[in-house]
Amino acid sequence: MIEKILIANRGEIAVRIIRTCKEMGIATVAVYSTADRAALHASLADESVCIGGPLSKDSYLNMNAIIQAACNTGCDAIHPGFGFLSENSAFARLVEECGLIFIGPSAKLIDLLGNKSQARKIMKDNGIPVIPGSKETVTSVEHGKQIAAEIGYPVMIKASNGGGGRGMRLIHDEAEFVEQYNNAKAEAKACFGDDDVYLEKYIENPKHIEVQLIGDKHGHVIHLFERDCSFQRRHQKMIEEAPCHILKEEMRQKLFNDALKACQIVGYYSVGTIEFLVDKNDNYYFMEMNTRIQVEHPITEMISGVDIVRLQIQVAMGNKLNIKQEDIKQNGYALECRINAEDMNKDFAPCPGQIAFMHIPGGRGVRIDSAIYNGYKVTPYYDSMILKLITFAPTRLECIKKMRVALSELIIDGIETNAKFHYYVMYSREFIEGRYDTGYCDRFIKELKDNGSIV
Ligand code: MV4
């Protein structure tokens, strides 16, 4: 049994987790940095503990301070949320060694799936389609050039332990190979402390589709349908929708089956997401598996009727999944706009400051996940996402119209936000028709600059 959980995170996800804990009758302990003394998560939790200075490395990444706080307050478990320590296997291992439950998969699974090259190999060996590329890591320039010639240029070189687009380079032809290979290796070493890289054929402007999964510790796994996360800027998602509008039913079933199979192969448990790339010719490829709860989980909750955090906590306790695949029915459409404290007229630069006044939209099918309030000071230390605006309706068009109404009601004064940008997107023809890929956000920004809507 879990009776008390420490939430090793901040912002809206910490608030999100605390809410479900309260509903389940589980006591909560928040941790906060000195920059977050006035943060909402710290006041909503039953107890809160200051764990260090403003810089993440001194607080939300400070494993010893977090585990000490959990032990001192008598917690049974730690929920890592997303980002920070959520996919850090050393942390998961340390938590378990201290006799606490890590609310996530085992350290072994985090390691296995965190190594993208290894995950790729396992999936390929088990018949799941992966992007054509190197079988394992690339060990020399000569080895790399040989593989690139076989799969054909352009190719991508990626860090085995990478993610978020870092340690990743596009190579157009053999003349560029040495330079980009060295760049990717250097960036991988600097970002991830490991310079292993692998090669893949370059897929131009793919769609990014991911399947939400949840497994228990007894070998049962179910999926909660897919999300389309193709609307991204600089590898940061901005808008997500569920289900994917243009996915054909036949491919959808294949994605679900392969995602479930991938989990069975590695014995996955806890919540997780399998990311696929879909190319223009309707080929799909396994790309990577995320072993955490994700920012965009609310849209899946809206269409599936499942509280994903509740299930995550239940399976962490060792409970069997209490729902069967056939009991979960997809219903309606959901959209999420990530509202960031950033200035879209300054190349979307982060824009911290004090919220002088705010008004949040409401009504049927409108959900807000946020940790801001009137007078709250957005600090420069953490991610600039301050609010997730989620709409839910029977059809996609109604959902878009609901998002327009909600965005038009939203007021956040005192700081710049990207809300207006989202409003423009909700009137974009390509978006409305669902005809957008991972290159669309940049094209749309250019369009807005060209017509003077943004500078
Ligand atoms: C790719 C790709 C095209 N071809 N790999 C970006 C982040 C990292 N997770 C993988 N990414 C990509 N890998 C091959 N072989 C294009 C991207 C990519 C991308 C992927 C998903 C969502 C948005 C993206 C934006 C730019 C590039």
Side-chain angles (χ1 to χ4, degrees), residues 131 156 158 165 168 200-203 206 208 232 235 275 277 287-288 438:
I131 301 168
M156 292 277 263
K158 297 183 177 182
M168 188 173 98
E200 280 178 357
K201 173 128 193 92
Y202 175 63
I203 312 288
H208 169 133
Q232 307 197 1
H235 304 301
E275 295 183 9
L277 288 190
M287 195 161 59
E288 54 191 67
T438 49

Side-chain angles (χ1 to χ4, degrees), residues 426-445:
M426 294 303 128
Y427 285 91
S428 135
R429 184 181 203 104
E430 284 88 337
F431 186 81
I432 293 166
E433 291 174 0
R435 287 188 295 108
Y436 65 96
D437 55 36
T438 49
Y440 182 65
C441 181
D442 285 345
R443 297 196 295 274
F444 187 62
I445 290 170

Side-chain angles (χ1 to χ4, degrees), residues 14-39:
V15 170
R16 164 74 190 85
I17 295 161
I18 290 167
R19 285 180 178 145
T20 284
C21 288
K22 287 182 176 178
E23 290 170 21
M24 295 174 80
I26 297 171
T28 52
V29 177
V31 291
Y32 62 93
S33 72
T34 52
D36 271 344
R37 286 190 189 284

Side-chain angles (χ1 to χ4, degrees), residues 106-127:
S106 64
K108 253 178 88 174
L109 280 165
I110 298 173
D111 274 332
L112 182 81
L113 295 159
N115 184 323
K116 315 293 180 214
S117 168
Q118 193 182 348
R120 219 177 104 77
K121 183 177 185 311
I122 294 169
M123 299 311 159
K124 185 170 192 291
D125 288 347
N126 284 278

Side-chain angles (χ1 to χ4, degrees), residues 89-311:
S89 60
F91 182 63
R93 203 167 278 120
L94 197 59
V95 170
E96 302 268 329
E97 279 168 6
C98 292
L100 303 165
I101 295 171
F102 178 77
I103 302 179
S106 64
K108 253 178 88 174
L109 280 165
I110 298 173
D111 274 332
L112 182 81
L113 295 159
N115 184 323
K116 315 293 180 214
S117 168
Q118 193 182 348
R120 219 177 104 77
K121 183 177 185 311
I122 294 169
M123 299 311 159
K124 185 170 192 291
D125 288 347
N126 284 278
I128 292 172
V130 299
I131 301 168
S134 58
K135 204 172 169 92
E136 291 175 45
T137 55
V138 175
T139 49
S140 70
V141 171
E142 285 320 305
H143 177 216
K145 279 186 177 174
Q146 188 193 327
I147 294 163
E150 282 166 24
I151 59 180
Y153 287 93
V155 298
M156 292 277 263
I157 188 145
K158 297 183 177 182
S160 291
N161 290 294
R166 286 188 307 173
M168 188 173 98
R169 289 288 187 285
L170 174 58
I171 311 181
H172 297 91
D173 53 50
E174 191 169 302
E176 284 183 11
F177 194 92
V178 180
E179 190 189 344
Q180 298 297 22
Y181 173 83
N182 290 329
N183 284 344
K185 263 178 125 48
E187 195 172 313
K189 183 85 192 167
C191 294
F192 313 110
D194 173 319
D195 70 354
D196 282 357
V197 291
Y198 62 102
L199 273 177
E200 280 178 357
K201 173 128 193 92
Y202 175 63
I203 312 288
E204 197 188 355
N205 292 339
K207 259 183 112 59
H208 169 133
I209 297 180
E210 54 185 38
V211 177
Q212 177 70 60
L213 296 139
I214 177 148
D216 64 22
K217 294 179 181 175
H218 307 273
H220 307 292
V221 190
I222 57 172
H223 71 78
L224 297 175
F225 316 106
E226 84 282 7
R227 297 184 286 256
D228 184 341
C229 301
S230 302
F231 202 97
Q232 307 197 1
R233 183 182 167 275
R234 304 211 174 145
H235 304 301
Q236 291 294 323
K237 294 170 187 168
M238 273 178 107
I239 301 173
E240 304 95 345
E241 60 177 290
C244 171
H245 185 52
I246 58 149
L247 191 59
K248 295 186 187 83
E249 196 52 37
E250 191 191 330
M251 197 195 303
R252 172 177 284 127
Q253 293 310 323
K254 282 188 187 160
L255 293 182
F256 293 163
N257 286 339
D258 278 346
L260 290 170
K261 189 167 147 194
C263 289
Q264 300 290 358
I265 292 163
V266 297
Y268 194 78
Y269 65 86
S270 189
V271 304
T273 305
I274 301 220
E275 295 183 9
F276 293 97
L277 288 190
V278 179
D279 72 15
K280 293 198 172 39
N281 303 317
D282 270 0
N283 297 303
Y284 71 90
Y285 310 97
F286 167 90
M287 195 161 59
E288 54 191 67
M289 178 158 191
N290 301 317
T291 58
R292 57 172 193 277
I293 186 140
Q294 287 187 273
V295 175
E296 59 273 26
H297 77 276
I299 56 173
T300 298
E301 295 189 320
M302 302 317 280
I303 66 156
S304 67
V306 169
D307 179 334
I308 296 174
V309 174
R310 176 185 283 261
L311 276 191

